[in-house]
Amino acid sequence: VGAQGPDLSFIPSDYHVDGKPDLAKFSASYQELVARDAQRAEADAAAQIEALAQAAADALAEGAAPQAEQMFAALAAEVPDRVEFAAGLARARVALGDLDGARAALAALPADARHATLAQARAALALAEQATPVADLAGLAAKVAANPDDHALRIELAGGLMARGDRDGAAE
């Protein structure tokens, strides 16, 4: 700062009045620019989060549970208030056979949390916890086919398929 005041030569001539910099005009414009840049950055971050969420869901659907688990863990850490990310993490851990990890992911959520994916994660965990090996899966599948309304048989078959690692078959 010299004897004449600060150097304001950086202020574009568009913000000059009577040949002198208009600080109020420049400041208001600068604040608008900063706000627009912040909004754009926030929108870009939200788009990146949604893209990663879609990639994690796709990985889980394609059976790439280790990759899905990593992506959902990152998402749940970055955006802890998004229930679906913790639910996806739990589902990925169930697919990996890490039932304790799945329970921990679900336990970290508020008791009143609600989301469709949360119900799916809880159901997957419950099914995995009930999974027991079945000696004759083909015979049990035939019994279910003969009596599709016998839900106890269907649950037993799903548990046997889950114990064998056939998550998709168990879901059907």
Side-chain angles (χ1 to χ4, degrees), residues 4-5 31 37-38 64 75-76 117 131 137-139 144-145 149 168 170:
Q4 296 178 332
Q31 289 173 359
D37 284 349
L75 287 164
T117 58
L137 272 177
V144 169
D149 293 330
D168 293 333

Coordinates of all heavy atoms in Angstrom, one line a residue, residues 4-5 31 37-38 64 75-76 117 131 137-139 144-145 149 168 170:
Q4 N -0.8 6.6 -2.0 CA -2.0 6.9 -2.7 C -3.1 5.8 -2.4 O -4.2 5.9 -2.9 CB -1.8 7.0 -4.2 CG -0.9 8.1 -4.5 CD -0.6 8.2 -6.0 OE1 -0.6 7.1 -6.7 NE2 -0.3 9.3 -6.5
G5 N -2.8 4.8 -1.6 CA -3.7 3.7 -1.4 C -3.3 2.5 -2.1 O -2.3 2.4 -2.7
Q31 N -18.7 -11.3 -6.0 CA -19.4 -12.2 -5.1 C -20.4 -13.1 -5.9 O -20.5 -14.3 -5.6 CB -20.1 -11.4 -4.0 CG -19.2 -10.8 -3.0 CD -19.9 -9.9 -2.0 OE1 -21.1 -9.7 -2.1 NE2 -19.1 -9.3 -1.1
D37 N -19.5 -20.0 -9.2 CA -18.5 -21.1 -9.2 C -18.7 -22.1 -8.2 O -18.5 -23.3 -8.4 CB -17.1 -20.4 -9.0 CG -16.6 -19.7 -10.3 OD1 -17.2 -19.9 -11.4 OD2 -15.6 -19.0 -10.2
A38 N -19.1 -21.7 -7.0 CA -19.4 -22.6 -5.9 C -20.6 -23.5 -6.3 O -20.6 -24.8 -6.0 CB -19.7 -21.9 -4.6
A64 N -19.5 -58.2 -9.1 CA -18.2 -57.6 -8.7 C -18.3 -57.0 -7.3 O -18.1 -55.8 -7.1 CB -17.7 -56.6 -9.8
L75 N -18.6 -44.0 -0.9 CA -19.8 -43.1 -0.9 C -20.4 -42.9 0.5 O -20.8 -41.8 0.8 CB -20.8 -43.8 -1.8 CG -20.5 -43.7 -3.3 CD1 -21.3 -44.7 -4.1 CD2 -20.7 -42.3 -3.8
A76 N -20.5 -44.0 1.3 CA -21.0 -43.9 2.6 C -20.2 -43.0 3.5 O -20.8 -42.3 4.3 CB -21.2 -45.3 3.2
T117 N -33.8 -49.5 -0.7 CA -32.5 -50.3 -0.7 C -32.2 -50.8 0.7 O -31.5 -51.8 0.8 CB -31.4 -49.5 -1.3 OG1 -31.2 -48.3 -0.5 CG2 -31.6 -49.1 -2.7
A131 N -29.0 -68.9 5.8 CA -28.5 -69.8 4.7 C -27.9 -71.1 5.4 O -27.0 -71.0 6.2 CB -27.5 -69.1 3.9
L137 N -30.2 -80.1 -3.4 CA -30.8 -78.9 -3.9 C -31.7 -79.2 -5.1 O -32.8 -78.6 -5.2 CB -29.7 -77.9 -4.3 CG -29.2 -76.9 -3.2 CD1 -28.1 -76.0 -3.8 CD2 -30.3 -76.1 -2.6
A138 N -31.3 -80.1 -5.9 CA -32.1 -80.4 -7.1 C -33.4 -81.0 -6.6 O -34.5 -80.6 -7.2 CB -31.4 -81.4 -8.0
G139 N -33.4 -81.9 -5.7 CA -34.7 -82.5 -5.2 C -35.5 -81.4 -4.5 O -36.8 -81.4 -4.7
V144 N -40.2 -77.6 -4.8 CA -40.7 -76.2 -4.9 C -41.5 -76.0 -6.2 O -42.5 -75.4 -6.2 CB -39.6 -75.2 -4.7 CG1 -40.0 -73.8 -5.1 CG2 -39.1 -75.2 -3.3
A145 N -40.9 -76.5 -7.3 CA -41.6 -76.4 -8.6 C -43.0 -77.1 -8.6 O -43.9 -76.6 -9.2 CB -40.7 -77.0 -9.7
D149 N -46.5 -72.7 -3.9 CA -47.1 -71.9 -2.8 C -46.6 -72.3 -1.4 O -47.0 -71.7 -0.5 CB -48.7 -72.0 -2.9 CG -49.3 -71.4 -4.1 OD1 -48.7 -70.4 -4.6 OD2 -50.3 -71.9 -4.6
D168 N -28.2 -64.9 -6.9 CA -29.3 -64.6 -7.8 C -30.4 -65.7 -7.7 O -31.6 -65.4 -7.8 CB -28.8 -64.5 -9.2 CG -27.9 -63.3 -9.4 OD1 -28.1 -62.3 -8.7 OD2 -27.0 -63.3 -10.3
A170 N -31.1 -67.5 -5.2 CA -31.8 -67.4 -3.9 C -32.8 -66.2 -4.0 O -33.9 -66.3 -3.4 CB -30.7 -67.1 -2.8

